[in-house]
């Protein structure tokens, strides 16, 4: 949904200091669907999740499945998304969970 421009926030329970162009991959597929600028990271309250749905598009029932009860929630704010015409394969190293460095790419 990010590379298609349908949502601007990726919800996570960790913050990031990265502010750069990143590739967007789908977990478990070993394919990159596109790119976006990781513009900001803001902490949001649980109470604001419903009113900010238009930014993250995560349904309440899905939130409960991945949010730990007392953990903070961060919105990784994405801008300038580009969807690739064809997904690009990449090698996913063992143990990598959030970030993967792509040595043959201009976008790490």
């Amino acid at each position: 949904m990010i590379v298609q421009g349908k949502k601007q926030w990726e919800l996570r329970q960790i913050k990031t200091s990265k502010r750069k162009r990143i590739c967007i991959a789908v977990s478990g597929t070993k394919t990159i669907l596109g790119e976006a600028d990781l513009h900001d990271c803001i902490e949001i309250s649980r109470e604001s999740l419903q009113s900010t749905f238009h930014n993250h598009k995560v349904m309440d029932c899905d939130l409960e499945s991945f949010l730990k009860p007392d953990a903070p929630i961060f919105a990784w704010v994405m801008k300038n998304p580009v969807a690739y015409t064809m997904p690009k394969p990449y090698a996913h190293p063992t143990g990598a969970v959030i970030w993967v460095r792509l040595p043959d790419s201009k976008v790490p």
Side-chain angles (χ1 to χ4, degrees), residues 26-43:
V26 176
S27 180
T29 66
K30 297 184 183 179
T31 58
I32 298 169
L33 301 181
E35 307 172 5
D37 293 328
L38 178 44
H39 178 74
D40 202 358
C41 178
I42 56 175
E43 187 168 2

Side-chain angles (χ1 to χ4, degrees), residues 2-7 21 35-37 78-83:
I2 289 171
V3 298
Q4 295 169 345
K6 294 181 179 178
K7 75 174 195 172
R21 190 99 179 137
E35 307 172 5
D37 293 328
M78 306 291 180
K79 292 191 175 188
N80 306 312
V82 173

Side-chain angles (χ1 to χ4, degrees), residues 1-8 53-57 81:
M1 292 180 75
I2 289 171
V3 298
Q4 295 169 345
K6 294 181 179 178
K7 75 174 195 172
Q8 296 79 38
F53 175 80
H54 62 283
N55 289 317
H56 58 75
K57 307 289 186 178

Side-chain angles (χ1 to χ4, degrees), residues 65-95:
S65 67
F66 81 89
L67 291 177
K68 295 176 186 166
D70 294 325
I73 302 169
F74 296 94
W76 294 8
V77 181
M78 306 291 180
K79 292 191 175 188
N80 306 312
V82 173
Y84 296 158
T85 306
M86 295 289 295
K88 297 180 181 183
Y90 76 99
H92 192 90
T94 302

